Amino acid sequence: MTKIKLCGLSRPCDLEVANRLQPEYVGFVFAPKSRRYVTDERAAELKNLLAPGIRAVGVFVNEAPERVAGLLNGGLIHMAQLHGRENEDYIRQLRALTDKPLIQAFRVETETDLTNAEGSTADHILLDSGAGTGKAFDWKLIRNLQRPYFLAGGLSPDNVGQAIRTLHPFAVDVSSGIETDGAKDQEKMAAFVAAVRERNTVYE
């Protein structure tokens, strides 16, 4: 059963839709350069609207470990997604500050990228084509990957079923693929979740 992460939610109406759709994860982006950036205050407002059972993931890019740990330990987010140049030393520093789950993101371009991903000590790995490019990478590169992973990059309601059928990822992560004119689109969010669950029923 492939899990679902709807990322880059930034408005109360986004949370209302997510609560109806019940994905396993939603993502709040704490990277200031992102157009989906939310402040701590806005994230707290959104988290208060989140239905029980849905896990809030904070997305960070080269953030100080102390800040990430503070948001995790304070209960603002359940998990942290590291989407910058964070390395094993960074993860060790963060582990010393919090026991909350970590997701490390990797840009997939070569076999070496997969070796690095498989060796990560993070609880989960996420495979992407880049930092929010909205484009898919060559899925053939990861067909033989043994470690469970979040699949991101270029996913949409139109191709997520194929991705699950081909790769059987642990989870699928979408942001731009459920947007229209830079904002989350209720119909696309619903279509994405429906496409995942339709494909999941085939493997039940």
Side-chain angles (χ1 to χ4, degrees):
M1 293 287 288
T2 297
K3 301 180 186 300
I4 301 167
K5 177 168 172 274
L6 303 179
C7 199
L9 307 190
S10 60
R11 304 173 300 173
C13 60
D14 299 338
L15 270 294
E16 292 173 10
V17 177
N19 287 341
R20 290 201 302 271
L21 297 175
Q22 288 288 299
E24 284 77 14
Y25 310 94
V26 298
F28 301 142
V29 178
F30 291 94
K33 292 183 179 180
S34 171
R35 60 182 172 82
R36 304 179 183 99
Y37 169 69
V38 294
T39 63
D40 295 4
E41 293 74 22
R42 171 50 67 93
E45 293 173 8
L46 299 175
K47 173 68 172 358
N48 286 336
L49 298 174
L50 188 62
I54 303 176
R55 297 175 70 75
V57 180
V59 180
F60 302 91
V61 177
N62 306 320
E63 187 60 75
E66 292 79 8
R67 170 164 158 71
V68 177
L71 294 177
L72 285 165
N73 295 336
L76 183 58
I77 51 175
H78 300 109
M79 307 170 69
Q81 179 176 316
L82 311 175
H83 225 290
R85 297 185 302 275
E86 299 89 357
N87 56 22
E88 285 297 315
D89 184 57
Y90 179 99
I91 291 176
R92 281 192 293 272
Q93 293 180 53
L94 193 49
R95 293 283 196 202
L97 299 170
T98 183
D99 60 356
K100 301 296 193 256
L102 307 177
I103 305 169
Q104 187 174 16
F106 291 87
R107 182 173 182 171
V108 178
E109 294 180 326
T110 67
E111 296 289 344
T112 301
D113 298 324
L114 294 183
T115 300
N116 293 335
E118 286 191 300
S120 170
T121 59
D123 300 275
H124 302 279
I125 57 172
L126 181 145
L127 307 180
D128 199 353
S129 56
T133 62
K135 297 180 180 179
F137 59 88
D138 185 358
W139 291 345
K140 292 179 183 177
L141 286 169
I142 60 174
R143 281 187 171 175
N144 297 318
L145 185 65
Q146 297 301 307
R147 180 171 178 172
Y149 57 88
F150 284 70
L151 178 67
L155 295 177
S156 71
D158 297 326
N159 67 5
V160 70
Q162 177 191 353
I164 295 171
R165 182 171 63 250
T166 304
L167 301 170
H168 310 291
F170 169 77
V172 286
D173 186 329
V174 65
S175 189
S176 60
I178 50 171
E179 292 179 347
T180 298
D181 297 328
K184 291 296 181 283
D185 182 308
Q186 176 177 333
E187 293 184 0
K188 289 182 180 179
M189 292 170 73
F192 185 89
V193 171
V196 174
R197 291 188 173 143
E198 179 180 1
R199 177 50 52 181
N200 276 340
T201 60
V202 175
Y203 300 108
E204 286 184 341

